[in-house]
mmCIF file of all heavy atoms in Angstrom:
data_model
loop_
_atom_site.group_PDB
_atom_site.id
_atom_site.type_symbol
_atom_site.label_atom_id
_atom_site.label_comp_id
_atom_site.label_asym_id
_atom_site.label_seq_id
_atom_site.Cartn_x
_atom_site.Cartn_y
_atom_site.Cartn_z
ATOM 1 N N ILE A 171 -49.515 26.935 -40.312
ATOM 2 C CA ILE A 171 -49.380 28.402 -40.443
ATOM 3 C C ILE A 171 -48.104 28.671 -41.227
ATOM 4 O O ILE A 171 -47.058 28.103 -40.907
ATOM 5 C CB ILE A 171 -49.298 29.064 -39.064
ATOM 6 C CG1 ILE A 171 -50.565 28.782 -38.260
ATOM 7 C CG2 ILE A 171 -49.053 30.565 -39.181
ATOM 8 C CD1 ILE A 171 -50.459 29.136 -36.774
ATOM 9 N N VAL A 172 -48.216 29.499 -42.247
ATOM 10 C CA VAL A 172 -47.036 29.788 -43.080
ATOM 11 C C VAL A 172 -46.701 31.277 -42.986
ATOM 12 O O VAL A 172 -47.575 32.120 -43.174
ATOM 13 C CB VAL A 172 -47.277 29.408 -44.559
ATOM 14 C CG1 VAL A 172 -46.030 29.650 -45.391
ATOM 15 C CG2 VAL A 172 -47.723 27.966 -44.692
ATOM 16 N N GLU A 173 -45.452 31.567 -42.660
ATOM 17 C CA GLU A 173 -44.991 32.973 -42.640
ATOM 18 C C GLU A 173 -43.729 33.034 -43.465
ATOM 19 O O GLU A 173 -42.906 32.165 -43.377
ATOM 20 C CB GLU A 173 -44.660 33.440 -41.208
ATOM 21 C CG GLU A 173 -45.825 33.473 -40.258
ATOM 22 C CD GLU A 173 -45.345 33.406 -38.818
ATOM 23 O OE1 GLU A 173 -44.552 34.267 -38.425
ATOM 24 O OE2 GLU A 173 -45.721 32.471 -38.132
ATOM 25 N N ILE A 174 -43.588 34.141 -44.237
ATOM 26 C CA ILE A 174 -42.363 34.300 -45.024
ATOM 27 C C ILE A 174 -41.667 35.582 -44.587
ATOM 28 O O ILE A 174 -42.286 36.665 -44.564
ATOM 29 C CB ILE A 174 -42.689 34.344 -46.537
ATOM 30 C CG1 ILE A 174 -43.298 33.004 -46.956
ATOM 31 C CG2 ILE A 174 -41.397 34.603 -47.349
ATOM 32 C CD1 ILE A 174 -43.820 32.937 -48.348
ATOM 33 N N GLU A 175 -40.417 35.448 -44.212
ATOM 34 C CA GLU A 175 -39.652 36.625 -43.767
ATOM 35 C C GLU A 175 -38.193 36.426 -44.108
ATOM 36 O O GLU A 175 -37.662 35.312 -43.921
ATOM 37 C CB GLU A 175 -39.801 36.754 -42.240
ATOM 38 C CG GLU A 175 -39.591 38.174 -41.759
ATOM 39 C CD GLU A 175 -39.638 38.221 -40.238
ATOM 40 O OE1 GLU A 175 -40.650 37.865 -39.649
ATOM 41 O OE2 GLU A 175 -38.618 38.643 -39.652
ATOM 42 N N ASP A 176 -37.538 37.442 -44.610
ATOM 43 C CA ASP A 176 -36.110 37.373 -44.927
ATOM 44 C C ASP A 176 -35.768 36.146 -45.797
ATOM 45 O O ASP A 176 -34.780 35.439 -45.557
ATOM 46 C CB ASP A 176 -35.252 37.309 -43.660
ATOM 47 C CG ASP A 176 -35.323 38.571 -42.856
ATOM 48 O OD1 ASP A 176 -35.686 39.620 -43.426
ATOM 49 O OD2 ASP A 176 -35.037 38.528 -41.649
ATOM 50 N N TYR A 177 -36.623 35.883 -46.771
ATOM 51 C CA TYR A 177 -36.389 34.754 -47.718
ATOM 52 C C TYR A 177 -36.479 33.383 -47.081
ATOM 53 O O TYR A 177 -35.997 32.398 -47.635
ATOM 54 C CB TYR A 177 -35.031 34.910 -48.451
ATOM 55 C CG TYR A 177 -35.043 36.124 -49.374
ATOM 56 C CD1 TYR A 177 -34.535 37.342 -48.967
ATOM 57 C CD2 TYR A 177 -35.605 35.997 -50.650
ATOM 58 C CE1 TYR A 177 -34.573 38.433 -49.811
ATOM 59 C CE2 TYR A 177 -35.653 37.099 -51.505
ATOM 60 C CZ TYR A 177 -35.129 38.303 -51.077
ATOM 61 O OH TYR A 177 -35.173 39.383 -51.922
ATOM 62 N N VAL A 178 -37.056 33.306 -45.880
ATOM 63 C CA VAL A 178 -37.269 32.017 -45.232
ATOM 64 C C VAL A 178 -38.761 31.798 -45.024
ATOM 65 O O VAL A 178 -39.455 32.671 -44.518
ATOM 66 C CB VAL A 178 -36.546 31.970 -43.857
ATOM 67 C CG1 VAL A 178 -36.816 30.630 -43.162
ATOM 68 C CG2 VAL A 178 -35.055 32.199 -44.012
ATOM 69 N N ALA A 179 -39.258 30.624 -45.473
ATOM 70 C CA ALA A 179 -40.650 30.263 -45.198
ATOM 71 C C ALA A 179 -40.671 29.417 -43.923
ATOM 72 O O ALA A 179 -40.013 28.381 -43.857
ATOM 73 C CB ALA A 179 -41.233 29.446 -46.355
ATOM 74 N N LEU A 180 -41.396 29.925 -42.957
ATOM 75 C CA LEU A 180 -41.552 29.180 -41.696
ATOM 76 C C LEU A 180 -42.922 28.522 -41.731
ATOM 77 O O LEU A 180 -43.943 29.184 -41.810
ATOM 78 C CB LEU A 180 -41.466 30.146 -40.490
ATOM 79 C CG LEU A 180 -41.764 29.534 -39.138
ATOM 80 C CD1 LEU A 180 -40.785 28.432 -38.757
ATOM 81 C CD2 LEU A 180 -41.787 30.637 -38.062
ATOM 82 N N ILE A 181 -42.920 27.193 -41.727
ATOM 83 C CA ILE A 181 -44.187 26.434 -41.728
ATOM 84 C C ILE A 181 -44.360 25.791 -40.363
ATOM 85 O O ILE A 181 -43.532 24.967 -39.932
ATOM 86 C CB ILE A 181 -44.175 25.337 -42.833
ATOM 87 C CG1 ILE A 181 -43.884 25.974 -44.212
ATOM 88 C CG2 ILE A 181 -45.502 24.578 -42.847
ATOM 89 C CD1 ILE A 181 -43.833 24.961 -45.359
ATOM 90 N N ARG A 182 -45.450 26.178 -39.678
ATOM 91 C CA ARG A 182 -45.719 25.597 -38.348
ATOM 92 C C ARG A 182 -46.872 24.621 -38.454
ATOM 93 O O ARG A 182 -47.937 24.977 -38.974
ATOM 94 C CB ARG A 182 -46.177 26.675 -37.358
ATOM 95 C CG ARG A 182 -45.162 27.692 -36.993
ATOM 96 C CD ARG A 182 -45.866 28.744 -36.117
ATOM 97 N NE ARG A 182 -45.124 29.962 -36.047
ATOM 98 C CZ ARG A 182 -44.296 30.266 -35.037
ATOM 99 N NH1 ARG A 182 -44.199 29.454 -34.029
ATOM 100 N NH2 ARG A 182 -43.636 31.391 -35.049
ATOM 101 N N LEU A 183 -46.647 23.390 -37.968
ATOM 102 C CA LEU A 183 -47.752 22.444 -37.826
ATOM 103 C C LEU A 183 -48.647 22.977 -36.724
ATOM 104 O O LEU A 183 -48.158 23.391 -35.667
ATOM 105 C CB LEU A 183 -47.219 21.045 -37.490
ATOM 106 C CG LEU A 183 -46.121 20.521 -38.426
ATOM 107 C CD1 LEU A 183 -45.657 19.132 -37.971
ATOM 108 C CD2 LEU A 183 -46.594 20.477 -39.857
ATOM 109 N N ASN A 184 -49.947 22.984 -36.971
ATOM 110 C CA ASN A 184 -50.822 23.690 -36.023
ATOM 111 C C ASN A 184 -52.115 22.933 -35.726
ATOM 112 O O ASN A 184 -53.197 23.344 -36.112
ATOM 113 C CB ASN A 184 -51.121 25.091 -36.610
ATOM 114 C CG ASN A 184 -51.901 25.957 -35.635
ATOM 115 O OD1 ASN A 184 -51.684 25.877 -34.438
ATOM 116 N ND2 ASN A 184 -52.845 26.754 -36.172
ATOM 117 N N ARG A 185 -51.950 21.813 -35.050
ATOM 118 C CA ARG A 185 -53.109 21.088 -34.515
ATOM 119 C C ARG A 185 -52.855 20.842 -33.036
ATOM 120 O O ARG A 185 -52.651 19.700 -32.581
ATOM 121 C CB ARG A 185 -53.299 19.730 -35.235
ATOM 122 C CG ARG A 185 -53.659 19.833 -36.708
ATOM 123 C CD ARG A 185 -54.061 18.460 -37.235
ATOM 124 N NE ARG A 185 -55.312 18.006 -36.668
ATOM 125 C CZ ARG A 185 -55.578 16.755 -36.332
ATOM 126 N NH1 ARG A 185 -54.660 15.818 -36.454
ATOM 127 N NH2 ARG A 185 -56.750 16.422 -35.830
ATOM 128 N N PRO A 186 -52.832 21.914 -32.223
ATOM 129 C CA PRO A 186 -52.429 21.774 -30.829
ATOM 130 C C PRO A 186 -53.302 20.809 -30.045
ATOM 131 O O PRO A 186 -52.842 20.147 -29.108
ATOM 132 C CB PRO A 186 -52.542 23.204 -30.260
ATOM 133 C CG PRO A 186 -53.360 23.968 -31.247
ATOM 134 C CD PRO A 186 -53.193 23.301 -32.576
ATOM 135 N N GLU A 187 -54.569 20.684 -30.463
ATOM 136 C CA GLU A 187 -55.500 19.808 -29.727
ATOM 137 C C GLU A 187 -55.088 18.335 -29.869
ATOM 138 O O GLU A 187 -55.504 17.488 -29.059
ATOM 139 C CB GLU A 187 -56.936 20.028 -30.220
ATOM 140 C CG GLU A 187 -57.294 19.530 -31.605
ATOM 141 C CD GLU A 187 -56.728 20.329 -32.793
ATOM 142 O OE1 GLU A 187 -56.016 21.344 -32.562
ATOM 143 O OE2 GLU A 187 -56.968 19.932 -33.952
ATOM 144 N N ALA A 188 -54.282 18.020 -30.845
ATOM 145 C CA ALA A 188 -53.872 16.612 -31.069
ATOM 146 C C ALA A 188 -52.350 16.488 -31.144
ATOM 147 O O ALA A 188 -51.838 15.588 -31.783
ATOM 148 C CB ALA A 188 -54.522 16.068 -32.323
ATOM 149 N N LEU A 189 -51.624 17.384 -30.453
ATOM 150 C CA LEU A 189 -50.157 17.373 -30.457
ATOM 151 C C LEU A 189 -49.635 17.273 -31.894
ATOM 152 O O LEU A 189 -48.684 16.555 -32.175
ATOM 153 C CB LEU A 189 -49.613 16.224 -29.587
ATOM 154 C CG LEU A 189 -49.994 16.233 -28.108
ATOM 155 C CD1 LEU A 189 -49.320 15.080 -27.370
ATOM 156 C CD2 LEU A 189 -49.615 17.555 -27.460
ATOM 157 N N ASN A 190 -50.276 18.033 -32.778
ATOM 158 C CA ASN A 190 -49.878 18.116 -34.198
ATOM 159 C C ASN A 190 -49.883 16.771 -34.906
ATOM 160 O O ASN A 190 -49.114 16.550 -35.845
ATOM 161 C CB ASN A 190 -48.495 18.759 -34.351
ATOM 162 C CG ASN A 190 -48.523 20.225 -33.967
ATOM 163 O OD1 ASN A 190 -49.547 20.876 -34.081
ATOM 164 N ND2 ASN A 190 -47.409 20.755 -33.474
ATOM 165 N N ALA A 191 -50.766 15.863 -34.478
ATOM 166 C CA ALA A 191 -50.864 14.573 -35.167
ATOM 167 C C ALA A 191 -51.162 14.828 -36.647
ATOM 168 O O ALA A 191 -51.905 15.716 -37.030
ATOM 169 C CB ALA A 191 -51.977 13.741 -34.545
ATOM 170 N N LEU A 192 -50.535 14.015 -37.458
ATOM 171 C CA LEU A 192 -50.598 14.208 -38.912
ATOM 172 C C LEU A 192 -51.859 13.564 -39.461
ATOM 173 O O LEU A 192 -51.924 12.322 -39.566
ATOM 174 C CB LEU A 192 -49.356 13.589 -39.569
ATOM 175 C CG LEU A 192 -48.002 13.948 -38.928
ATOM 176 C CD1 LEU A 192 -46.883 13.120 -39.581
ATOM 177 C CD2 LEU A 192 -47.711 15.442 -39.058
ATOM 178 N N ASN A 193 -52.851 14.359 -39.780
ATOM 179 C CA ASN A 193 -54.018 13.785 -40.473
ATOM 180 C C ASN A 193 -53.917 14.096 -41.956
ATOM 181 O O ASN A 193 -52.967 14.751 -42.411
ATOM 182 C CB ASN A 193 -55.341 14.266 -39.849
ATOM 183 C CG ASN A 193 -55.548 15.779 -40.010
ATOM 184 O OD1 ASN A 193 -54.750 16.470 -40.670
ATOM 185 N ND2 ASN A 193 -56.569 16.280 -39.387
#
Side-chain angles (χ1 to χ4, degrees):
I171 298 167
V172 183
E173 295 159 58
I174 298 172
E175 204 185 300
D176 294 339
Y177 293 96
V178 178
L180 173 63
I181 304 179
R182 292 174 198 263
L183 307 180
N184 186 37
R185 294 190 69 218
E187 71 287 359
L189 300 183
N190 293 332
L192 312 173
N193 64 5

